[in-house]
C-alpha cells in the first residue's frame, strides 16, 4: 500500500485529500480538509488572478503540501480548474505555487474536469451503470455531465459560476428582488440552451456535486457537524430547494453566516448556487436532485490510483 494525495484548486475552495491506497478503486482516508480563499475573487473583468487571493491560496497550498509530506504521501496530484485556466497570469500562479510549496499544478480543461468529477461521483454514490446528469456547481463555472456508467455522452460547461454570478449581480445585503430577478434571467437564459446541447434526458437522475449541493443538504438535514454519510445520497426536492432559496435570499449576510455549516466564504455565494439548482430542476424537468459528497477531489485521487501517475514526490 502507498499514500496518495489529491488537491483540488477551485475558484472558491481548495480541497485536500490524503489516503492510503488499498486497491485502484478503494482507499482509506487519512486526512481531508477544505478551505475557502476565493482564488477567483475579482477575476472578472480583468481576467487576472488578484494579488490578495493569490497570497491566501499560496499560504493554504503550502500548508497542504506540508500535511501531505507529514503523512508520507509519495504520489501527489494537484489540479486547477476554472479560475486558473481562465486567468491571463496563470503561468505566474503555477510557478509561484511550485516555488513556495513544491506542488506541480496541472491546469485542466472543462472536459477533463468533467471526467474526473464523474469518476468521483460514481465512486461515492456507487452508481454502477445508471444513466445520470451530474450538475457540478463551481465558483467559476457549472459543468453538466451526461453519462451512463463510465461512458460520457455529453459535457456542457456553462460559465455559470457562483462567484461570478454573485459578484456580477448580488451587490445588496440582502439581495434586492430586482437583483435576484436579473440573476435568475441570466441563469435561465443559459440553462434554457441545455436542452439543445444535451441528448435526451429521459430516465436520468439529476445529481448535484460540490459545495452548494452539499451545503444545502446539510442545512436541510439540520446538521451542526458535517456528516458525509448523511449528506451523500440525500435528496432535495424542487419545493424544498425553493424554500431554502427564499429563506437564504431574504436573510442579511451576517444572519445567514450564523447558520450551522454555512461557512463565511460560502454564505454570500449560496443564494446564487441555490438559484442555479432551482432553475436547472425547473427548466430540465426534474422534481429533485441527489447530493454527492464526492466529486472532483475524489476523482483526482482515483485517477491517480488507477494510473499510478508518478507526480514528483514532495
Amino acid at each position: 500500500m502507498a499514500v496518495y494525495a489529491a488537491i483540488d484548486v477551485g475558484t472558491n475552495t481548495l480541497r485536500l485529500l490524503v489516503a492510503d491506497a488499498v486497491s485502484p478503486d478503494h482507499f482509506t482516508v487519512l486526512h481531508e480538509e477544505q478551505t475557502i480563499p476565493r482564488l477567483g475573487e475579482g477575476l472578472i473583468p480583468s481576467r487576472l488572478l488578484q494579488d490578495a487571493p493569490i497570497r491566501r491560496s499560496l499560504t493554504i497550498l503550502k500548508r497542504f503540501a506540508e500535511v501531505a509530506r507529514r503523512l508520507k504521501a509519495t504520489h501527489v496530484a494537484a489540479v486547477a480548474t476554472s479560475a486558473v485556466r481562465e486567468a491571463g497570469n496563470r503561468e505566474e500562479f503555477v510557478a509561484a505555487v511550485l516555488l513556495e510549496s513544491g506542488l506541480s499544478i496541472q491546469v485542466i480543461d472543462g472536459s477533463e474536469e468533467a471526467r474526473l468529477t464523474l469518476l468521483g461521483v460514481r465512486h461515492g454514490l456507487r452508481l454502477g451503470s445508471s444513466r445520470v446528469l451530474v450538475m457540478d456547481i463551481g465558483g467559476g463555472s457549472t459543468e453538466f455531465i451526461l453519462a451512463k456508467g463510465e461512458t460520457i455522452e455529453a459535457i456542457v460547461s456553462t460559465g455559470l459560476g457562483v462567484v461570478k454570478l454573485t459578484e456580477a449581480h448580488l451587490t445588496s445585503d440582502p439581495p434586492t428582488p430586482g437583483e435576484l430577478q436579473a440573476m435568475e434571467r441570466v441563469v435561465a437564459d443559459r440553462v434554457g440552451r441545455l436542452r439543445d446541447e444535451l441528448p435526451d434526458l429521459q430516465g436520468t437522475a439529476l445529481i448535484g456535486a460540490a459545495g452548494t449541493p452539499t451545503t444545502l443538504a446539510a442545512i436541510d438535514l439540520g446538521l451542526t457537524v458535517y456528516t458525509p454519510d448523511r449528506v451523500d445520497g440525500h435528496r432535495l426536492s424542487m419545493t424544498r430547494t425553493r424554500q431554502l432559496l427564499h429563506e437564504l435570499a431574504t436573510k442579511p449576510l451576517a444572519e445567514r453566516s450564523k447558520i450551522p455549516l454555512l461557512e463565511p466564504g460560502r454564505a454570500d455565494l449560496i443564494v446564487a448556487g441555490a438559484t442555479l439548482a432551482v432553475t436547472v430542476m425547473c427548466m430540465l424537468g426534474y422534481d429533485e436532485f441527489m447530493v454527492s459528497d464526492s466529486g472532483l477531489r475524489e476523482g483526482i485521487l482515483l485517477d491517480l490510483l488507477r494510473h499510478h501517475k508518478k507526480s514528483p514526490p514532495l
Side-chain angles (χ1 to χ4, degrees):
M1 291 190 291
V3 177
Y4 292 74
I7 298 172
D8 169 11
V9 182
T11 300
N12 192 50
T13 309
L14 304 186
R15 297 179 172 90
L16 169 68
L17 178 60
V18 184
D20 199 346
V22 178
S23 73
D25 291 303
H26 183 64
F27 55 85
T28 301
V29 175
L30 301 177
H31 178 84
E32 59 183 327
E33 64 175 289
Q34 65 177 40
T35 306
I36 300 178
R38 195 163 297 180
L39 178 58
E41 181 179 37
L43 178 66
I44 306 299
S46 69
R47 293 289 177 181
L48 295 173
L49 297 172
Q50 302 299 301
D51 289 343
I54 286 175
R55 294 310 312 171
R56 293 194 297 263
S57 300
L58 288 174
T59 298
I60 293 164
L61 289 170
K62 184 177 180 180
R63 181 170 57 78
F64 280 6
E66 290 167 353
V67 171
R69 287 191 194 97
R70 188 173 68 245
L71 294 173
K72 298 180 171 35
T74 56
H75 299 77
V76 180
V79 166
T81 55
S82 177
V84 180
R85 70 172 170 252
E86 292 178 15
N89 56 346
R90 77 179 198 177
E91 297 302 329
E92 291 90 334
F93 174 75
V94 169
V97 172
L98 181 61
L99 179 65
E100 295 205 15
S101 69
L103 292 170
S104 180
I105 297 282
Q106 179 188 7
V107 184
I108 60 174
D109 62 21
S111 295
E112 179 65 358
E113 181 179 354
R115 183 185 74 82
L116 293 173
T117 298
L118 178 66
L119 188 61
V121 169
R122 289 188 65 256
H123 181 270
L125 291 176
R126 299 290 188 264
L127 292 175
S129 61
S130 301
R131 190 165 182 258
V132 297
L133 178 65
V134 177
M135 169 180 63
D136 180 23
I137 301 177
S141 181
T142 294
E143 267 70 46
F144 291 88
I145 309 114
L146 180 64
K148 181 174 174 57
E150 292 191 5
T151 303
I152 295 177
E153 299 179 18
I155 299 169
V156 179
S157 182
T158 64
L160 295 173
V162 294
V163 173
K164 292 177 181 177
L165 287 168
T166 301
E167 289 184 355
H169 300 286
L170 307 183
T171 57
S172 301
D173 184 25
T176 66
E179 289 173 348
L180 290 169
Q181 289 165 10
M183 182 178 67
E184 288 167 5
R185 284 195 296 270
V186 169
V187 174
D189 179 68
R190 182 63 191 90
V191 171
R193 300 202 300 273
L194 286 173
R195 279 291 189 188
D196 297 325
E197 297 168 310
L198 295 170
D200 181 18
L201 298 176
Q202 186 173 358
T204 61
L206 179 64
I207 296 175
T212 290
T214 57
T215 300
L216 291 173
I219 295 171
D220 186 46
L221 289 163
L223 301 181
T224 55
V225 176
Y226 189 82
T227 312
D229 289 346
R230 293 194 64 191
V231 169
D232 216 26
H234 183 66
R235 295 174 185 272
L236 277 165
S237 68
M238 163 83 81
T239 300
R240 180 56 179 148
T241 309
R242 281 189 186 278
Q243 290 173 344
L244 288 171
L245 172 57
H246 176 74
E247 292 168 11
L248 293 164
T250 53
K251 284 181 170 64
L253 181 58
E255 187 177 344
R256 211 183 303 149
S257 298
K258 295 176 183 177
I259 298 172
L261 301 181
L262 186 49
E263 309 139 289
R266 197 177 303 284
D268 60 331
L269 306 180
I270 194 66
V271 173
T275 298
L276 267 163
V278 167
T279 305
V280 169
M281 282 190 283
C282 180
M283 300 195 73
L284 298 186
Y286 291 98
D287 295 326
E288 65 175 16
F289 70 92
M290 182 190 297
V291 178
S292 173
D293 177 68
S294 297
L296 177 59
R297 180 181 63 174
E298 289 73 18
I300 296 167
L301 184 72
L302 287 163
D303 197 56
L304 196 57
L305 299 188
R306 290 182 178 186
H307 297 97
H308 302 284
K309 293 180 178 177
K310 306 291 186 179
S311 298
L314 290 176

